[in-house]
């Protein structure tokens, strides 16, 4: 799979940006063909060597880069030759979507199964038990806590869960 094709996809660009951050994005967005050293990348991209190394290590941790070590026989120094392996990005994105689905399902269940109270002054939210412990008064400002309706939030989460399940071709238990 060509790097250029992958890197033109805005979803993949966002994924890489989330992984390596703004300082590492030039490294992630310009993968060379073949092997390259961190020093070569830093010089070519006019970046600090530490920023390049950080980005390479993050890519390595996410199975998007690999390296091999060479020892200079004269000095004993190690040289790391890096190779980018972006063909794993679609698989990584799918795993990320499954993690998001799981987190959303847990949060939706939590929201659906709890009653909440809100301080409209401080915008602090409390579960029923916490609100009861505070005498239904905000511990910050003393204002009365109001019952909070979260059905729109739960409905929005359910819609997003349905969208993710459709995208991932996941069968729901209720279906």
């Amino acid at each position: 799979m060509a790097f250029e094709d992958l890197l033109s996809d805005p979803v993949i660009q966002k994924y890489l940006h989330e992984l390596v951050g703004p300082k590492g994005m030039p490294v992630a967005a310009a993968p060379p063909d073949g092997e390259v050293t961190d020093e070569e990348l830093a010089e070519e991209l006019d970046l600090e060597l530490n920023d390049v190394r950080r980005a390479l290590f993050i890519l390595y941790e996410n199975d998007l880069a690999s390296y091999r070590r060479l020892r200079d026989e004269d000095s004993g120094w190690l040289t790391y030759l890096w190779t980018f392996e972006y063909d794993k990005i679609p698989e990584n994105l799918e795993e990320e979507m499954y993690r998001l689905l799981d987190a959303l399902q847990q949060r939706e269940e939590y929201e659906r199964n709890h009653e909440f109270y809100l301080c409209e002054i401080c915008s602090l939210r409390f579960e029923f038990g916490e609100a009861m412990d505070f005498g239904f008064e905000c511990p910050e400002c003393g204002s009365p806590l109001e019952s909070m309706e979260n059905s729109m939030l739960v409905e929005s989460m359910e819609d997003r869960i349905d969208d993710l399940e459709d995208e991932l071709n996941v069968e729901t238990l209720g279906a």
Side-chain angles (χ1 to χ4, degrees), residues 13 17 29 37 44 75 92-93 97 109 114 119 123 133 150 153 166:
Q13 289 174 9
H17 189 272
T37 67
E44 180 182 320
S75 67
N92 288 9
L93 282 172
M97 289 173 67
E109 182 179 348
H114 290 83
C119 172
S123 297
D133 289 345
N150 68 343
L153 175 63
D166 287 346

Side-chain angles (χ1 to χ4, degrees), residues 101 104 108 151-166:
L101 176 61
L104 270 173
E108 183 269 337
S151 60
M152 286 179 58
L153 175 63
V154 170
E155 192 174 307
S156 177
M157 291 175 139
E158 288 170 348
D159 290 344
R160 185 65 181 119
I161 288 168
D162 289 343
D163 291 345
L164 277 170
E165 288 174 339
D166 287 346

Side-chain angles (χ1 to χ4, degrees), residues 30-156:
D33 291 328
E35 295 179 318
V36 65
T37 67
D38 49 3
E39 291 92 354
E40 290 169 343
L41 275 175
E43 186 176 321
E44 180 182 320
L45 299 172
D46 195 31
L47 294 172
E48 294 290 325
L49 185 56
N50 283 344
D51 293 334
V52 171
R53 287 178 175 161
R54 181 184 171 281
L56 287 170
F57 187 69
I58 291 169
L59 293 171
Y60 171 76
E61 285 181 322
N62 288 278
D63 295 327
L64 299 178
S66 63
Y67 65 86
R68 66 184 180 97
R69 285 187 299 231
L70 296 177
R71 184 175 298 276
D72 184 291
E73 294 193 18
D74 295 332
S75 67
W77 287 61
L78 289 174
T79 300
Y80 290 81
L81 295 170
W82 291 89
T83 306
F84 290 74
E85 299 174 355
Y86 281 7
D87 54 327
K88 296 178 182 171
I89 288 178
E91 181 183 317
N92 288 9
L93 282 172
E94 184 176 355
E95 288 174 14
E96 196 68 30
M97 289 173 67
Y98 274 106
R99 279 194 291 276
L100 175 60
L101 176 61
D102 184 53
L104 270 173
Q105 288 170 329
Q106 289 179 28
R107 183 60 188 252
E108 183 269 337
E109 182 179 348
Y110 172 78
E111 291 290 332
R112 191 172 10 90
N113 293 326
H114 290 83
E115 185 177 338
F116 298 97
Y117 286 80
L118 177 70
C119 172
E120 294 180 358
I121 305 295
C122 299
S123 297
L124 294 175
R125 188 172 89 147
F126 303 92
E127 288 182 17
F128 175 79
E130 293 173 302
M132 196 166 85
D133 289 345
F134 293 127
F136 295 95
E137 286 184 359
C138 177
E140 297 291 318
C141 70
S143 297
L145 299 177
E146 303 294 330
S147 179
M148 180 185 164
E149 176 59 45
N150 68 343
S151 60
M152 286 179 58
L153 175 63
V154 170
E155 192 174 307
S156 177

